[in-house]
Amino acid sequence: MKNIKGLIFDLDGVLLSTDHFHYLAWKKLADRLGIEFTEKDNERLRGVSRMESLEIILSLDPLVKLSEDEKVAVATEKNEHYREYLKTMTPTDVSDEVRETLASLRKKGYTLAVGSSSKNTRFILERTALTDCFDAIADGNDIKNSKPDPEVFLKAAEFVGLDASVCAVIEDAEAGLEAANAAKMVAIAYASAYGSKLGDVQLEKFSDLDRLFK
Ligand code: BG6
Ligand code: MG
């Protein structure tokens, strides 16, 4: 870990949790379309882009067929539901552990960035007062290819002017760990991804980052 200068954090499931809001918003849409959709199904959407998530949901019921234009319209509908839930978020949705660890890492001189597939990243960071904790933000609006493609992490490294070889990624999704591996960055498996064989390092508690990075 000695050569690491930059830490790139996934957002959903790492810095905070929006899983349940994603579930509620997709569930509203699925109910309207008559598709059975459970919290277990929702887990398959972790780290995956909005349109790819929709494809996974549509694959649950082959009887529901939508044109490309209809897919864009229903994904927008889901996002409107999702944004309503996001509006209820406040700074208290980020734990003290996360805030203190980020502050400590920054004080030690590490460059911190966010690398998320979500196009709502900036809105969520603003709502939770996290924006100023980072030197750069790369999100779903900056990329063509979503995780497991490495694009979002390579963008984050580019934004902070660091080579991929000196960056580590903290991820809760298999797709995100795959992306970190493809970017040739150190892949740190956390939360839902804890124990994944795609991780170079296993992170049990967020605050352990402070011990990992001296
Ligand atoms: C990721 C989530 O962070 O963002 C996925 O883990 C989600 O579940 C993806 O589909 C895209 O989010 P958004 O906010 O652009 O719809
Ligand atoms: Mg995540």
Side-chain angles (χ1 to χ4, degrees):
M1 291 304 159
K2 281 213 175 71
N3 68 326
I4 296 298
K5 294 189 170 72
L7 300 175
I8 306 176
F9 295 84
D10 173 51
L11 175 67
D12 296 326
V14 170
L15 296 172
L16 43 78
S17 177
T18 52
D19 269 11
H20 195 59
F21 292 157
H22 275 297
Y23 169 68
L24 293 174
W26 281 124
K27 177 76 180 151
K28 264 194 190 175
L29 178 73
D31 284 351
R32 188 178 74 66
L33 296 175
I35 299 172
E36 209 175 305
F37 176 66
T38 64
E39 283 204 68
K40 185 98 195 102
D41 297 322
N42 192 56
E43 285 175 22
R44 291 174 57 197
L45 314 182
R46 199 168 278 142
V48 173
S49 75
R50 193 181 307 162
M51 292 311 284
E52 283 161 330
S53 298
L54 176 63
E55 292 297 345
I56 292 173
I57 292 170
L58 292 175
S59 75
L60 298 173
D61 190 341
L63 293 178
V64 179
K65 293 202 183 345
L66 300 181
S67 68
E68 289 310 308
D69 285 352
E70 285 167 333
K71 285 181 189 173
V72 172
V74 298
T76 304
E77 183 183 330
K78 179 268 172 176
N79 195 49
E80 281 161 8
H81 296 319
Y82 182 53
R83 299 269 296 198
E84 285 305 311
Y85 294 118
L86 292 181
K87 282 183 195 160
T88 68
M89 293 191 92
T90 69
T92 58
D93 286 303
V94 177
S95 68
D96 290 345
E97 179 187 2
V98 166
R99 275 188 210 284
E100 283 160 18
T101 306
L102 292 175
S104 169
L105 292 166
R106 217 172 187 195
K107 210 166 147 203
K108 285 190 263 189
Y110 289 97
T111 298
L112 308 186
V114 173
S116 168
S117 306
S118 172
K119 293 186 172 169
N120 293 295
T121 297
R122 283 178 185 276
F123 183 62
I124 297 169
L125 293 174
E126 282 299 319
R127 294 261 359 138
T128 54
L130 272 179
T131 312
D132 292 344
C133 301
F134 297 95
D135 300 289
I137 296 158
D139 69 17
N141 300 295
D142 299 308
I143 54 169
K144 284 197 193 71
N145 306 300
S146 200
K147 300 169 190 177
D149 191 282
E151 194 177 353
V152 78
F153 294 141
L154 295 173
K155 273 275 172 226
E158 183 193 318
F159 289 167
V160 293
L162 289 176
D163 196 78
S165 61
V166 296
C167 292
V169 166
I170 299 90
E171 258 295 346
D172 74 315
E174 293 284 311
L177 291 175
E178 241 183 272
N181 288 327
K184 301 211 169 5
M185 296 177 178
V186 173
I188 303 182
Y190 174 61
S192 310
Y194 183 75
S196 166
K197 56 182 188 316
L198 297 177
D200 299 309
V201 178
Q202 305 295 329
L203 184 72
E204 198 176 350
K205 288 197 291 166
F206 194 89
S207 56
D208 288 345
L209 286 172
D210 210 17
R211 276 191 276 137
L212 207 53
F213 299 99
K214 301 282 182 212

